Amino acid sequence: MAQRPLIAGLTGGIGSGKSAAASCFEALGISVVDADIIARDVVMPHTPCLEAIHKHFGSGILNDDKSLNRHKLRNIIFANSNEKRWLEELLHPAIRALIIDQLKQSQSAYSVLVSPLLLETNQHELVNRIIVVDCPETIQISRASKRDKVTDENIKAIMATQLARQARLAKADDVLHNDGDLNELHRQVETLHNRYMANLI
Ligand SMILES: CC(C)(COP(=O)(O)OP(=O)(O)OC[C@H]1O[C@@H](n2cnc3c(N)ncnc32)[C@H](O)[C@@H]1O)[C@@H](O)C(=O)NCCC(=O)NCCS
Ligand SMILES: Nc1ncnc2c1ncn2[C@@H]1O[C@H](COP(=O)(O)OP(=O)(O)OP(=O)(O)O)[C@@H](O)[C@H]1O
């Protein structure tokens, strides 16, 4: 019987280093499907999702050029769980459908699906191995607040809606410890990649 192709799900909390780790896999020639990028695609101007968001939140949710004001939507949904649920019920089915499409197009020896909500949504059903990128919460907060130019409180509010660190680690098949520099992260990804490739041959 043909074996299912290896799809590794790469997850972690905000600012833990998912995108940084995903770039390392890409540099090794592995196809990466990124749920955050897809989440942006489904709300591009003229999409049904952006039209629904406009209708629900009003014109104030759009920038002057009619694109989504992501900063405003971020402030709304992480302060109001009902609005967050509404948005997720709209976006997650569209995001999942595109993830499936893109994974089908992957040509590499194995594929990586990177998603912040892999374990919080049914996206984990699409993968057969789970990689958690992990670092202490203080590092998550300082890296993400610096990157997004927001306060520590803003990042903590988002973290509070995500799976707790230990609960996420408990689901991991493999862990990338991202409390060192980017070279150290790259070395760990390379080790994991070599293990995956050895099992595939
Ligand atoms: C609220 C939005 C517009 C904010 O956009 P913004 O450009 O400021 O942030 P970005 O999209 O880069 O997300 C930053 C990080 O926030 C966290 N995050 C995003 N959405 C969620 C969510 N629904 N629940 C928990 N954490 C989330 C993730 O760690 C993500 O990597 C955007 O995050 C969004 O549309 N979220 C809902 C869609 C979703 O659930 N995306 C997650 C991938 S499936
Ligand atoms: N080992 C590291 N050393 C220094 N900076 C790092 C390291 N890992 C990640 N960073 C930086 O920290 C920030 C957060 O990392 P990254 O964007 O990869 O996190 P993420 O998990 O993808 O976040 P999000 O959930 O918001 O998408 C980025 O600016 C990134 O360049």
Side-chain angles (χ1 to χ4, degrees):
M1 205 167 68
Q3 258 192 322
R4 254 178 99 195
L6 174 60
I7 304 175
L10 171 60
T11 193
I14 185 165
S16 56
K18 293 179 295 297
S19 300
S23 302
C24 302
F25 280 104
E26 273 178 333
L28 293 163
I30 297 305
S31 297
V32 170
V33 174
D34 187 327
D36 274 339
I37 293 175
I38 293 176
R40 285 169 190 266
D41 289 344
V42 299
V43 294
M44 291 303 240
H46 313 298
T47 54
C49 288
L50 186 58
E51 277 168 26
I53 290 170
H54 181 186
K55 202 167 157 205
H56 183 80
F57 292 103
S59 313
I61 206 68
L62 301 183
N63 295 310
D64 289 344
D65 64 0
K66 305 287 180 217
S67 62
L68 178 62
N69 186 329
R70 303 182 64 85
H71 184 73
K72 215 175 236 182
L73 188 56
R74 175 173 173 143
N75 285 338
I76 294 173
I77 71 158
F78 293 111
N80 183 324
S81 57
N82 287 332
E83 298 295 18
K84 181 169 179 286
R85 196 172 317 113
W86 180 87
L87 184 70
E88 290 178 346
E89 282 172 8
L90 173 75
L91 299 186
H92 285 179
I95 293 169
R96 183 183 166 95
L98 280 181
I99 288 175
I100 292 170
D101 273 2
Q102 291 191 10
L103 284 173
K104 275 190 199 144
Q105 288 165 31
S106 166
Q107 301 278 342
S108 56
Y110 66 93
S111 320
V112 172
L113 166 60
V114 48
S115 173
L117 302 181
L118 186 81
L119 302 170
E120 289 89 336
T121 67
N122 56 10
Q123 289 170 11
H124 59 87
E125 296 165 2
L126 305 175
V127 307
N128 30 33
R129 197 151 185 98
I130 290 169
I131 309 169
V132 168
V133 55
D134 178 70
C135 67
E137 288 168 347
T138 47
I139 298 184
Q140 255 181 280
I141 294 165
S142 65
R143 284 182 184 155
S145 58
K146 191 170 159 213
R147 183 200 56 192
D148 295 350
K149 299 184 181 60
V150 296
T151 61
D152 288 5
E153 279 57 44
N154 180 292
I155 302 301
K156 284 182 197 167
I158 296 178
M159 285 168 70
T161 72
Q162 299 181 339
L163 207 56
R165 185 180 178 195
Q166 291 309 325
R168 189 183 294 110
L169 280 170
K171 306 257 184 194
D173 295 302
D174 302 301
V175 180
L176 295 168
H177 299 281
N178 191 22
D179 50 1
D181 62 17
L182 287 168
N183 286 331
E184 171 54 23
L185 180 65
H186 192 88
R187 274 193 289 277
Q188 291 179 58
V189 171
E190 214 160 13
T191 303
L192 205 54
H193 170 77
N194 290 337
R195 255 180 51 210
Y196 289 171
M197 294 300 280
N199 286 331
L200 291 172
I201 296 164

